Amino acid sequence: MAAFLVSAPSPLMPVASFGIFTGMLVGVNFLFDLACFPIVILFHSEVITPCFARLVPFSRQTLSVRTESQERLITAHQNRISRDNNDGSRDMTYHQLQLQDKVNEENETVLDTVQHIEHKNKVVWFLENKFYKFMIWKPVRVVIPLFFLVITAFFTYSATTLGADSSQVKVYRESNNYAKAIERHFSGFQQNYDDRYNKLHLTWGMKPQNLASCDWKSGDSCTGQSEIDEHFDMSSSEAQISLMNLCHRLENFTDKEISSYGIKRNPVTNKPEIACFMSALYKFIQNTGYLENIPFPFTKESVVPFMKRNFHIYNISSIPENFDRYFEILVSYWLSNGYTHTLTEDFLTYHRLIGEMTIPGVTQCFNRSSYIGTYGTKLRVVAIEINTTFMFQNLGYREGKPIYHLWEKFIQQEVSKMPSSMKSGFQSSRESWHWIKIQETLVKSAVRGVVIGISLAFPILTITTLNVVIGFLATICITMITVVVVGLIPLIGWKLGVLESINLSLIVGLSVDYVVHFAEAYRTSPFTHRKGRVKSMLEAMGLSVLSGAITTFGAAVFMLFAEIQFSYQFGIFVMCTIGTSFMFSFLLFPAFMASWGPEGNTGSIPAIVKALKLKCQRKRTIQTLNY
């Protein structure tokens, strides 16, 4: 459950919700197993079995034989517990352990004889005899760990090649007609000038979007709140000069810079497609005969004479003495084409990049013959628009992140040169940077989920098995399973996208299942020597693990026929994880335990605690005697 819940803090709604759902599912399943399953067993034992025995008389003999078999197992287990509680048992030598296990194996032979009478399951018999002898054979105990170590090393290298998926989340499988149509729409034809490339904006007057009101529940529907920068002001000479210098810097990028920053060139002029309103405003004034004598920067000294010459538009006497929005006077005149309001190329390009607001008591409206408009407004937002060469559908994480950092570094350097009224500048893209951030979050969420899951596996397994050695060996096995499954993803041809990140949140949870069953069976074995424990482990849990693997793997097979990409991919992922986990738990873990499994009380937490208590008691006794 903990391995699934580590995905809950993810900022991505699908990953977080799936982790919470699977974690809750495991928790509810555990509670029902703990509360309901014992009741079902008792009902079967106390009600159904006696009724069946009365109805079918010959079943009583089988019932009595089973009871005798169970009694023998209980007796052997109680003997082991009594030895563990004996203080002198911790001093038993390796030879004494072997002698004790020899007696236990003789008892087990008797149990096998009884169980053969019971028509013992052939799979269980194979596991505790043929398979057990194969696993404890010394060459096998050496070859299997080395073989799995080589496999893990190969898949570790494969996992390092796993990259973020640049494409959008696919709803349908590639064989589906809808999926083919979507793929051909975006990638099947050569892009032309009319296709929608991403646009980059360098913006002043706005603060970055305030997302304080958004949380993981709101998902993508929450866009935050827009906030105005009250310190932004374009009226000063320093602000106008700094923005003009930035425009010249962008328009004179070298070929290498244009390529590195991903700027699109105009197919006719071959110039970078950069819409900077300061350059356009300056050209308008220089190319208009009766305006060309207005010097730059556009301050009160240069604009007031222009207003006096155009007295049919501007009423100088109505302007307050503290009025300082002279730069906006020329901006309004330029966009409205001299207040004639005839559409121009500049208006179509720049009107959406400039935001104005009226000033109460200052802004004036006029309607004189063919001249209609307002003046005396204040600029609140300005932006420079740059056409790029990438589309967010095709922008990969590896390619897009360097471009994002280039623009981020560029705007920070330029803003640092500007006056205080222009310090709010930032760069943004409507879709591309957001998608790159999602891909980066997917990578971090997947890595964090796997690392936290494996980190939690060791303490949890140690606590549940009450043995440090068993917990350590089980954690190594789970780590190798996780590495192999992650390494399978690029070999299959997948990349790390939303669906893969969701699936990765399940790796540790699915990998730990079979190993922990064997680990607990090894710990509860009535034997003290590792070979006897391995045999008991295979006998007690081998069939359960095999049955669980077959049912889970078989259920995932039916998902291969789904048309939805997530269901299809989830089925393959579950099959790979279950298959890998089964192979490692049935081959590697028994080999580990047959070679390095703890014997007696080695690594036992209760034994360690008991030894520490005895040591403290002896120390206090010695101190008491000394006094």
Side-chain angles (χ1 to χ4, degrees), residues 283-297:
K283 290 177 182 178
F284 172 79
I285 292 176
Q286 295 300 316
N287 295 333
T288 304
Y290 58 89
L291 296 177
E292 61 183 4
N293 59 348
I294 301 178
F296 180 81

Side-chain angles (χ1 to χ4, degrees), residues 350-403:
Y350 296 103
H351 80 280
R352 52 192 171 80
L353 302 178
I354 298 175
E356 298 177 285
M357 66 170 290
T358 59
I359 305 175
V362 176
T363 303
Q364 298 188 24
C365 301
F366 63 91
N367 186 356
R368 302 184 183 93
S369 64
S370 59
Y371 301 99
I372 303 173
T374 59
Y375 62 88
T377 58
K378 179 181 179 181
L379 281 180
R380 297 310 304 264
V381 179
V382 296
I384 299 174
E385 186 176 79
I386 302 165
N387 289 338
T388 65
T389 57
F390 45 81
M391 301 172 64
F392 90 102
Q393 292 90 349
N394 300 323
L395 183 63
Y397 172 73
R398 296 182 183 274
E399 303 84 7
K401 190 174 181 180
I403 299 177

Side-chain angles (χ1 to χ4, degrees), residues 2 29 44 79 91 134 223 294 369 412 443 509 547 559 589 607 612:
N29 183 38
H44 176 271
N79 291 336
D91 298 325
F134 173 76
T223 58
I294 301 178
S369 64
Q412 290 177 1
V443 174
S547 301
M559 302 182 75
F589 189 70
L612 292 175

Side-chain angles (χ1 to χ4, degrees), residues 330-506:
L330 290 182
V331 172
S332 299
Y333 189 89
W334 161 58
L335 284 179
S336 63
N337 195 24
Y339 292 106
T340 60
H341 295 287
T342 56
L343 288 179
T344 62
E345 188 68 28
D346 282 352
F347 176 81
L348 296 175
T349 303
Y350 296 103
H351 80 280
R352 52 192 171 80
L353 302 178
I354 298 175
E356 298 177 285
M357 66 170 290
T358 59
I359 305 175
V362 176
T363 303
Q364 298 188 24
C365 301
F366 63 91
N367 186 356
R368 302 184 183 93
S369 64
S370 59
Y371 301 99
I372 303 173
T374 59
Y375 62 88
T377 58
K378 179 181 179 181
L379 281 180
R380 297 310 304 264
V381 179
V382 296
I384 299 174
E385 186 176 79
I386 302 165
N387 289 338
T388 65
T389 57
F390 45 81
M391 301 172 64
F392 90 102
Q393 292 90 349
N394 300 323
L395 183 63
Y397 172 73
R398 296 182 183 274
E399 303 84 7
K401 190 174 181 180
I403 299 177
Y404 165 77
H405 285 300
L406 275 176
W407 279 112
E408 193 66 20
K409 182 179 179 181
F410 174 81
I411 189 64
Q412 290 177 1
Q413 290 177 345
E414 294 298 325
V415 168
S416 65
K417 305 174 186 176
M418 294 182 173
S420 59
S421 61
M422 300 285 289
K423 292 296 185 182
S424 63
F426 63 91
Q427 62 93 13
S428 63
S429 176
R430 179 176 176 82
E431 296 169 330
S432 296
W433 300 160
H434 174 69
W435 180 235
I436 288 176
K437 186 64 177 179
I438 289 178
Q439 295 179 69
E440 184 178 19
T441 305
L442 287 173
V443 174
K444 291 181 178 179
S445 297
V447 173
R448 182 179 64 246
V450 171
V451 171
I452 295 177
I454 293 176
S455 301
L456 292 176
F458 175 67
I460 292 176
L461 288 173
T462 301
I463 294 172
T464 54
T465 60
L466 297 176
N467 193 290
V468 178
V469 178
I470 296 177
F472 178 72
L473 294 176
T475 303
I476 292 177
C477 193
I478 293 169
T479 303
M480 296 174 72
I481 295 171
T482 303
V483 170
V484 170
V485 175
V486 175
L488 278 171
I489 294 178
L491 294 180
I492 296 174
W494 297 344
K495 293 184 179 180
L496 189 57
V498 176
L499 303 183
E500 291 78 10
S501 184
I502 292 174
N503 291 331
L504 284 176
S505 65
L506 302 175

Side-chain angles (χ1 to χ4, degrees), residues 553-574:
F553 190 91
V557 170
F558 292 97
M559 302 182 75
L560 300 180
F561 303 99
E563 289 295 328
I564 303 299
Q565 177 69 12
F566 174 74
S567 300
Y568 170 74
Q569 193 166 316
F570 185 71
I572 295 178
F573 185 84
V574 170

Side-chain angles (χ1 to χ4, degrees), residues 191-249:
Q191 304 295 333
N192 57 41
Y193 179 74
D194 296 327
D195 285 326
R196 185 183 179 186
Y197 289 95
N198 272 31
K199 298 181 183 296
L200 185 74
H201 293 94
L202 309 181
T203 307
W204 286 263
M206 295 286 296
K207 295 180 180 180
Q209 205 75 351
N210 186 357
L211 302 177
S213 60
C214 300
D215 54 23
W216 66 272
K217 294 181 180 179
S218 57
D220 294 335
S221 61
C222 181
T223 58
Q225 296 179 349
S226 300
E227 296 182 353
I228 298 294
D229 178 24
E230 300 296 340
H231 300 287
F232 170 69
D233 189 1
M234 280 287 299
S235 61
S236 66
S237 300
E238 295 81 3
Q240 297 176 39
I241 293 173
S242 63
L243 193 59
M244 181 66 79
N245 292 337
L246 175 59
C247 292
H248 290 164
R249 171 83 173 88

Side-chain angles (χ1 to χ4, degrees), residues 145-179:
L146 291 177
F147 174 73
F148 279 97
L149 184 62
V150 172
I151 290 179
T152 304
F154 170 76
F155 282 100
T156 300
Y157 169 76
S158 177
T160 59
T161 63
L162 179 61
D165 193 359
S166 60
S167 60
Q168 292 291 300
V169 179
K170 296 180 180 178
V171 179
Y172 302 101
R173 292 175 56 183
E174 294 181 356
S175 59
N176 188 275
N177 290 333
Y178 288 106

